[in-house]
Amino acid sequence: MSDPESGDAGNDSSAPTLAEAEAKILACESSEALKEVEREYVGKQGVVARLLASIPDAPPEERPEVGKQANILKKGVQQAIQARQQGLADARVATEREGQGFDPSLPPPRPQRGSLHPLTQVTRELEDLFQSMGYRILDGPEIETDYYNFEALNIPADHPARDSHDTFFCEGDGHLVLRTHTSPVQIRALENLEPPLRVVIPGKVFRHESTDASHDHTFHQMEGLVVDRDISVAHLIGAMKTLLRGIFDRDLEVRLRPGYFPFVEPGFELDARCPFCEEGCRVCKRTRWIELLPCGLVHPNVLRAGGVDPEEWGAFAFGLGLSRLVMLRHAIDDVRHLLGGDIRFLEQF
Ligand code: DAH
């Protein structure tokens, strides 16, 4: 008796071989079709059963071989069906995944990358700009003494200007405060550096006031101080125009309005032409001017407090609102977004 795979299953020469069975199994596209083939071969009335039933009719010397071949066919068919079942299941999972847009050949998603906070971006840009003009970048404490935050800046106790600086006082006798502006670092610069000097001081400041879209308890400023001989308002305006060109990438018309700050005399509010419109917009509140830069010539009392002789030296100073600048630049309508820490906001930069 020949091997069933060779095409001759015992004495019934028309009986299907294992090779034929395997081909049929491979062609099955569903488990129903597989069941059908299973029944045909290993079912109660199937090929294998008929082979076994033919044994008594076979010549005695062939009987063991017929039995053996029947078993080989049975095992082979069962194995082939199992393999095909697994194949069909795998294919089903693959199609489902494809439907969900899952493509295992794609590279994995990249890890999220952080970015610099818009305040950091503006601060660094301005630091570069000022450094290129020979300014030094300084830093100062965020917890200040009453002396540096007020007294030395020509704001003595009971001066009404203190009211406008809604102050966080530290526990104790009230002589430590969270600095309400970056101006106290002017005094520290005067004390520690020899004139002539040019410095800028970016940093965080704090105000004890109720918050709304344009007020936060914590925001950022950049203080500037230039001490030299014969400093005039013309120097101040020139420096401010250069600053604005650095920020907005073009020359903007400016105007000075009188502004009162105890540490400068004269003091100004410097406005710039709205960089966003020709005839009035939401940003400039239809005035075509944006209020950007309080500044002035440093008061002699302040120079004296810093140990600099006002007869010999002149100075100008300015206090740029960094938070406000970032809001202008990115059309942000609520200052509280800046330090709110909402990742959806920050991801935009
Ligand atoms: N320190 C002031 C404030 O926070 C801003 C300011 C005004 C700073 C005039 C200056 C200046 O240097 O000259 O309200």
Side-chain angles (χ1 to χ4, degrees), residues 12-293:
D12 182 357
S13 64
S14 68
T17 63
L18 179 56
E20 276 170 3
E22 281 173 344
K24 274 192 188 173
I25 290 166
L26 261 184
C28 287
E29 290 298 339
S30 67
S31 44
E32 287 73 35
L34 274 177
K35 284 235 168 65
E36 198 55 46
V37 181
E38 191 176 23
R39 214 174 300 126
E40 185 185 335
Y41 282 85
V42 294
K44 270 192 193 139
Q45 322 277 321
V47 175
V48 172
R50 286 202 310 271
L51 255 181
L52 292 172
S54 73
I55 289 176
D57 302 330
E61 69 279 10
E62 282 182 16
R63 285 175 196 168
E65 188 56 26
V66 177
K68 195 177 150 198
Q69 293 305 328
N71 276 328
I72 290 174
L73 181 61
K74 184 177 172 187
K75 268 213 184 107
V77 166
Q78 281 171 335
Q79 271 173 8
I81 286 179
Q82 220 177 23
R84 182 63 187 147
Q85 249 159 4
Q86 188 60 52
L88 285 175
D90 289 349
R92 207 167 42 240
V93 172
T95 349
E96 273 169 18
R97 283 182 177 165
E98 230 165 75
Q100 293 163 1
F102 181 92
D103 180 350
S105 67
L106 285 177
R110 284 163 189 252
Q112 271 202 333
R113 288 184 75 188
S115 56
L116 291 180
H117 192 284
L119 272 164
T120 311
Q121 292 175 15
V122 165
T123 306
R124 291 196 183 172
E125 269 175 46
L126 291 179
E127 284 177 358
D128 284 349
L129 175 72
F130 279 110
Q131 258 170 335
S132 75
M133 299 193 292
Y135 285 69
R136 281 174 69 154
I137 318 289
L138 293 189
D139 205 359
E142 288 171 0
I143 296 177
E144 264 298 5
T145 60
D146 180 278
Y147 174 76
Y148 283 105
N149 198 79
F150 296 119
E151 194 82 29
L153 287 166
N154 204 29
I155 316 175
D158 302 325
H159 192 291
R162 289 198 180 209
D163 289 349
S164 66
H165 288 239
D166 312 81
T167 311
F168 283 112
F169 294 94
C170 296
E171 274 181 15
D173 61 6
H175 103 119
L176 285 182
V177 301
L178 298 191
R179 70 178 177 194
T180 57
H181 48 176
T182 42
S183 304
V185 194
Q186 285 190 33
I187 305 295
R188 296 180 179 276
L190 292 171
E191 285 176 344
N192 293 306
L193 302 174
E194 283 297 317
L197 61 90
R198 300 170 203 203
V199 299
V200 284
I201 306 118
K204 221 184 256 176
V205 302
F206 310 88
R207 298 280 172 98
H208 185 209
E209 59 189 355
S210 29
T211 60
D212 61 30
S214 39
H215 298 89
D216 206 350
H217 47 70
T218 304
F219 54 101
H220 288 70
Q221 293 185 335
M222 182 178 271
E223 193 80 13
L225 173 68
V226 172
V227 182
D228 213 325
R229 300 190 197 272
D230 303 321
I231 287 284
S232 73
V233 175
H235 296 115
L236 169 63
I237 295 175
M240 296 304 93
K241 281 186 156 176
T242 312
L243 168 56
L244 292 171
R245 196 183 314 128
I247 295 171
F248 294 108
D249 273 338
R250 63 192 138 120
D251 285 310
L252 291 177
E253 196 188 337
V254 298
R255 75 175 182 192
L256 288 182
R257 287 176 294 120
Y260 177 68
F261 307 95
F263 34 92
V264 283
E265 181 57 39
F268 306 104
E269 294 280 2
L270 186 137
D271 300 338
R273 264 297 175 213
C274 179
F276 304 105
C277 71
E278 295 286 328
E279 62 285 308
C281 66
R282 220 169 52 105
V283 175
C284 61
K285 303 199 184 86
R286 315 226 157 267
T287 63
R288 295 198 55 212
W289 293 100
I290 51 171
E291 197 180 300
L292 254 193
L293 266 168

